[in-house]
Amino acid sequence: MAFSAFATGTAKEQAPRRKSKIALLLLLPGILYLMLFFLVPLVSLVITSFQQPVPYGDIGEFQNAFKWENYVDVVNTYGEHIFRSFAYAILATIFALLFSYPLAYFIGVKARRWPLLQNLMLVLVIAPFFISFLLRTLAWKAILSDESFVVTGLKALSLMAPDAHFTGTPAAVIFGLTYNFIPFMTLPLYSTLERLDTRLLEAGSDLYAKPAMTFFKVTVPLSMSGIVSGVLLTFIPAAGDYINASRDFLGGTGTQMIGNVIESNFLVTLNYPAAAALSIILMAVILVMVTVYVKRSGTEDLL
Amino acid sequence: MTKPLPEDPFIRSLVIQAQRSQFTRRNMLKGAGIGAGALALAACTPGGTTGGSTGPKAAKDKSDTDKIVRWDNWALYLDVDSNGHYPTLEAFEKQTGIKATYTEAVDDNNTYYGKVKDQLKLGQDIGCDTVCLTDWMVDRWIRFGYTQELDDAMIPNKKNLVPKLLDVSFDPGRKHSLPWQGGFAGIAWNKDHLPGGLTSVSDLWDPSLKGRVGVLSEMRDTMGCIMQDLGTQIDGKWGDAEFTAAIDVLQKQVSDGQIRNIKGNSYKQDLQNGDTLAAIVWSGDITQLNAEAGDHWAFALPSKGGTLWNDNFLIPIGSAHKKNAEMLINYYYNPEVAAQVAAYVNYIPPVAGTKEAMMALDPALADNQLIFPTEATLKNAHVFRSLDSAEDQKYNAQFQAILLGA
């Protein structure tokens, strides 16, 4: 159903009768590109993840082997970070959805009467993209710092303990993740809600459904494809994000996510097999979670 | 079991098309061939075996015909005017006729190494003819054979160097590296909040500073300061026991929430926005920060000792302009040139006689202890002893584990 927009309304079955040589030729650059920049690095990553240190070797020297214990080691050492990454990503996705749905509904449905307002609000949603992701996160770090008006204000109102901090806490990291991925959630939601047929909502109330019931029985199912793409676009990058949780941005030593662990292993301790094994675990877990999620929400057509 | 076709006409047509091109034996073989090709390609990527190889060979020098030199360095590390020109570098170009390209390519020793290590291993050009890196990273490059041997005959001004810097543990006789600038790691505090100031690293653990203390993510500087606070001579003989004792202190202060954060260059923002009131920091940064954001911070070497480090020139193995790079290094060992640089970067110049040259340039700076430290100051700053490979890996892992909260 997601692609119905692209198909012409009265189209008959137009399946090509034979394999077109031109179609294959057109696909070739894409296939070569994926081979070179996806398959090769992936294979290289898998090989690296099984490497073992060169006996008596220097820092960062590894040789090919089949050391599957690497996977056990990283799970034992960094299990907490793996769990934390997905917990943060799930929370950030839920918050982003709760925040974005009303926003997208307002822009896509309520604001239809005022196209100017609609466009203006869309621009406001996209506007943050004009500024670098890093700069925006740094700006939040300054806004949420100890001597900022936000923190001093909350403390003056006794909403925060006098010696409490905001930056460097899990709350700050989840806040950063939510904030940074809101546009990725809002835009797909908007694009489905914008096509929502409001006559169906009228029909719902004609049939004595309460507004809440109409919402859950009509609006939500009709916007499911937007929810699914929004959740995927938010969850997948959020789980691997290493900027918000970085100690240089909103995080602290207690909030490090799997991306930070990979970065540290790759760049500082030069433990390439550990970094590679963690990357593969991250990919595998995301793949499993996304597959289960898509199956359960009944939108296989999207994949 | 076949799945029912999807309703969407577009998807439906795609599925039908996919079903038509069934897998024949020939197709399967083709696919297997492609997979094997990918594997072969992957095997070519560096990062596999090394151990005990002879190391890369130095590139042939083309300096005489190709009059260029490319220099990678850290940000804010060379005098620059308001138009973005580098006055000392332009004078060098005029003097020698060598075209110099200066790039602020080094953001961090580790990320720079991560970027160029594969080319270095193959002996390829990494896009620069000289680069300035910190002692311990230079140690690693020399160990791996990633540097070219310097020709003293091309660098007569080497005699101007401060004697203490002429022989270092990681490069006896300075055959592969030469100093660029040096500095201290010590303690800094916010003068508005802490008018009394601090004197030692232990002062950072005062309960009144809970959650407002920062330390550097550079292992040797943070650990060097803490170990000296515990009474260890960091440039002398010490081992696991001393290092672990300091790690325990750091771990405790992090777990207790005394230390809020462990950062690299970005710690300056934390000092500025007030998250951090006292921290282990680099000397030159505080001078620059005070100049940029008002005079709010003070720096001191801890009473029991701070660390002294140097960034060093080296010539990467793949550079084809070694002679030009040596001329560049030689040029910066003129005391007058060194003074011009020091007046801008505020770090410790390695050239003797710079202080006298600075007298003429800016007498106020000539008295700055952080740029021209006296013997008494220097006595309180020590170099973290060089680590062998096994220690390097072990200590790094212990320190990183704290940074990651693992």
Side-chain angles (χ1 to χ4, degrees):
Chain A
M1 40 180 183
F3 290 104
S4 9
F6 300 113
T8 45
T10 54
K12 297 171 287 185
E13 296 291 84
Q14 282 189 331
R17 288 193 174 66
R18 58 188 177 85
K19 273 193 288 183
S20 157
K21 288 240 165 57
I22 292 178
L24 278 177
L25 208 65
L26 287 173
L27 271 175
L28 200 65
I31 291 172
L32 280 179
Y33 182 89
L34 281 179
M35 288 280 300
L36 211 58
F37 296 109
F38 177 72
L39 202 57
V40 174
L42 187 69
V43 171
S44 167
L45 193 67
V46 172
I47 294 174
T48 308
S49 74
F50 288 111
Q51 282 179 346
Q52 66 181 22
V54 173
Y56 307 106
D58 210 320
I59 189 165
E61 290 190 316
F62 294 92
Q63 62 190 14
N64 288 335
F66 186 70
K67 196 171 173 239
W68 54 268
E69 293 93 334
N70 287 339
Y71 284 83
V72 182
D73 288 347
V74 294
V75 170
N76 284 335
T77 319
Y78 303 115
E80 192 192 339
H81 300 80
I82 298 172
F83 175 78
R84 184 185 290 147
S85 301
F86 291 109
Y88 285 6
I90 289 170
L91 283 172
T93 309
I94 293 172
F95 289 135
L97 181 62
L98 291 179
F99 185 88
S100 298
Y101 204 97
L103 183 66
Y105 191 86
F106 183 82
I107 304 175
V109 181
K110 293 285 171 194
R112 276 181 201 174
R113 275 171 289 166
W114 309 288
L116 193 67
L117 178 71
Q118 202 176 18
N119 287 333
L120 188 71
M121 292 193 69
L122 269 182
V123 169
L124 286 179
V125 171
I126 304 169
F129 281 121
F130 296 137
I131 304 166
S132 151
F133 174 53
L134 300 181
L135 284 181
R136 278 182 282 136
T137 315
L138 277 180
W140 274 113
K141 191 179 91 164
I143 295 170
L144 300 173
S145 68
D146 285 10
E147 303 289 321
S148 69
F149 67 93
V150 177
V151 172
T152 48
L154 285 173
K155 283 181 181 171
L157 293 171
S158 296
L159 289 172
M160 241 174 118
D163 60 345
H165 312 295
F166 197 66
T167 51
T169 61
V173 177
I174 295 169
F175 172 86
L177 287 171
T178 309
Y179 163 77
N180 276 311
F181 290 107
I182 276 178
F184 294 94
M185 184 66 95
T186 309
L187 291 178
L189 281 176
Y190 162 77
S191 75
T192 49
L193 285 171
E194 188 231 13
R195 281 182 275 117
L196 181 76
D197 191 343
T198 45
R199 287 172 303 180
L200 296 173
L201 304 184
E202 286 164 23
S205 62
D206 285 351
L207 295 168
Y208 296 104
K210 290 204 174 75
M213 185 136 182
T214 316
F215 177 75
F216 286 110
K217 293 275 181 194
V218 180
T219 316
V220 170
L222 282 176
S223 58
M224 206 56 197
S225 66
I227 296 177
V228 171
S229 18
V231 165
L232 293 183
L233 282 176
T234 306
F235 175 76
I236 297 174
D241 185 83
Y242 62 96
I243 300 296
N244 290 288
S246 156
R247 292 184 308 275
D248 289 330
F249 290 86
L250 296 170
T253 51
T255 63
Q256 301 292 287
M257 290 168 68
I258 193 166
N260 306 102
V261 178
I262 294 173
E263 186 197 18
S264 156
N265 271 295
F266 193 85
L267 286 176
V268 186
T269 45
L270 309 190
N271 191 347
Y272 305 125
L278 281 166
S279 308
I280 288 173
I281 292 173
L282 176 68
M283 266 194 270
V285 177
I286 288 180
L287 204 63
V288 169
M289 289 177 90
V290 165
T291 314
V292 170
Y293 170 72
V294 172
K295 283 263 174 212
R296 298 210 65 178
S297 48
T299 36
E300 290 98 326
D301 280 359
L302 278 171
L303 292 187
Chain B
M1 211 174 91
T2 49
K3 279 170 69 176
L5 284 172
E7 274 165 24
D8 189 286
F10 185 72
I11 306 263
R12 197 185 181 96
S13 62
L14 279 176
V15 170
I16 293 171
Q17 191 179 2
Q19 282 173 346
R20 285 212 181 129
S21 54
Q22 286 154 345
F23 271 107
T24 62
R25 208 171 102 85
R26 178 179 268 240
N27 279 340
M28 282 294 284
L29 283 174
K30 237 192 265 170
I34 290 170
L39 265 171
L41 259 173
C44 295
T45 57
T49 56
T50 36
S53 61
T54 44
K57 291 243 172 3
K60 207 169 157 329
D61 197 11
K62 295 187 298 189
S63 290
D64 292 329
T65 50
D66 197 8
K67 292 217 160 289
I68 61 160
V69 62
R70 299 157 302 165
W71 180 10
D72 279 1
N73 208 346
W74 300 68
L76 307 176
Y77 224 20
L78 185 64
D79 54 317
V80 64
D81 63 21
S82 48
N83 301 323
H85 296 290
Y86 301 101
T88 52
L89 201 59
E90 282 178 1
F92 166 78
E93 289 182 316
K94 219 171 267 167
Q95 216 176 75
T96 58
I98 296 170
K99 173 97 189 62
T101 314
Y102 183 78
T103 318
E104 292 187 346
V106 189
D107 179 48
D108 175 283
N109 283 301
N110 284 312
T111 47
Y112 189 81
Y113 180 72
K115 202 165 71 180
V116 300
K117 69 182 171 62
D118 292 329
Q119 284 103 306
L120 285 172
K121 191 181 278 175
L122 300 171
Q124 290 172 354
D125 181 22
I126 60 166
C128 77
D129 301 309
T130 185
V131 53
C132 297
L133 298 170
T134 311
D135 297 325
W136 59 271
M137 183 53 83
V138 171
D139 184 3
R140 185 187 291 170
W141 284 49
I142 296 173
R143 235 161 51 209
F144 279 115
Y146 291 169
T147 55
Q148 299 194 38
E149 191 168 335
L150 301 169
D151 181 3
D152 284 355
M154 285 304 300
I155 314 172
N157 285 344
K158 194 174 168 182
K159 64 176 191 316
N160 294 347
L161 285 179
V162 178
K164 204 176 166 178
L165 291 171
L166 274 173
D167 202 33
V168 285
S169 60
F170 57 86
D171 186 13
R174 285 282 189 190
K175 294 269 174 239
H176 293 265
S177 68
L178 281 166
W180 163 240
Q181 302 284 314
F184 300 119
I187 46 178
W189 60 91
N190 189 316
K191 287 191 288 194
D192 308 337
H193 285 82
L194 298 165
L198 305 176
T199 53
S200 74
V201 174
S202 324
D203 290 349
L204 295 173
W205 317 147
D206 189 274
S208 67
L209 286 171
K210 186 163 192 259
R212 310 299 286 272
V213 177
V215 297
L216 294 169
S217 59
E218 188 75 57
M219 177 182 87
R220 284 160 181 81
D221 291 324
T222 294
M223 294 308 288
C225 284
I226 298 178
M227 285 169 76
Q228 293 187 82
D229 195 52
L230 297 176
T232 308
Q233 259 319 107
I234 54 165
D235 45 4
K237 277 194 167 49
W238 53 264
D240 292 358
E242 287 84 357
F243 189 84
T244 311
I247 279 281
D248 291 342
V249 170
L250 181 64
Q251 178 70 69
K252 181 179 179 304
Q253 301 302 340
V254 169
S255 318
D256 290 355
Q258 180 76 18
I259 295 176
R260 171 78 155 282
N261 225 332
I262 305 178
K263 301 206 173 190
N265 275 318
S266 65
Y267 75 88
K268 279 179 271 183
Q269 297 149 9
D270 287 37
L271 284 172
Q272 230 170 325
N273 68 27
D275 270 9
T276 306
L277 295 180
I280 296 178
V281 301
W282 290 304
S283 53
D285 287 344
I286 299 302
T287 317
Q288 285 180 4
L289 194 61
N290 277 331
E292 279 166 23
D295 188 21
H296 297 294
W297 296 276
F299 175 89
L301 281 172
S303 54
K304 290 187 177 176
T307 62
L308 176 65
W309 47 264
N310 264 282
D311 286 334
N312 310 272
F313 284 111
L314 46 79
I315 301 181
I317 195 75
S319 156
H321 309 97
K322 177 170 163 259
K323 210 166 102 188
N324 294 345
E326 285 163 344
M327 285 166 80
L328 178 85
I329 298 171
N330 188 53
Y331 166 78
Y332 275 98
Y333 287 168
N334 276 316
E336 285 75 25
V337 179
Q340 280 184 56
V341 174
Y344 173 79
V345 302
N346 293 322
Y347 277 106
I348 308 168
V351 183
T354 310
K355 187 170 182 173
E356 289 69 31
M358 187 65 95
M359 287 292 198
L361 205 65
D362 186 347
L365 283 178
D367 287 331
N368 190 328
Q369 276 297 298
L370 300 178
I371 305 175
F372 299 105
T374 57
E375 276 306 310
T377 312
L378 278 174
K379 226 177 236 153
N380 212 10
H382 301 273
V383 180
F384 199 88
R385 82 165 166 87
S386 71
L387 304 174
D388 68 35
S389 165
E391 290 173 326
D392 194 6
Q393 296 177 54
K394 188 167 57 186
Y395 295 156
N396 237 319
Q398 276 181 286
F399 187 69
Q400 285 298 315
I402 295 187
L403 264 63
L404 291 171

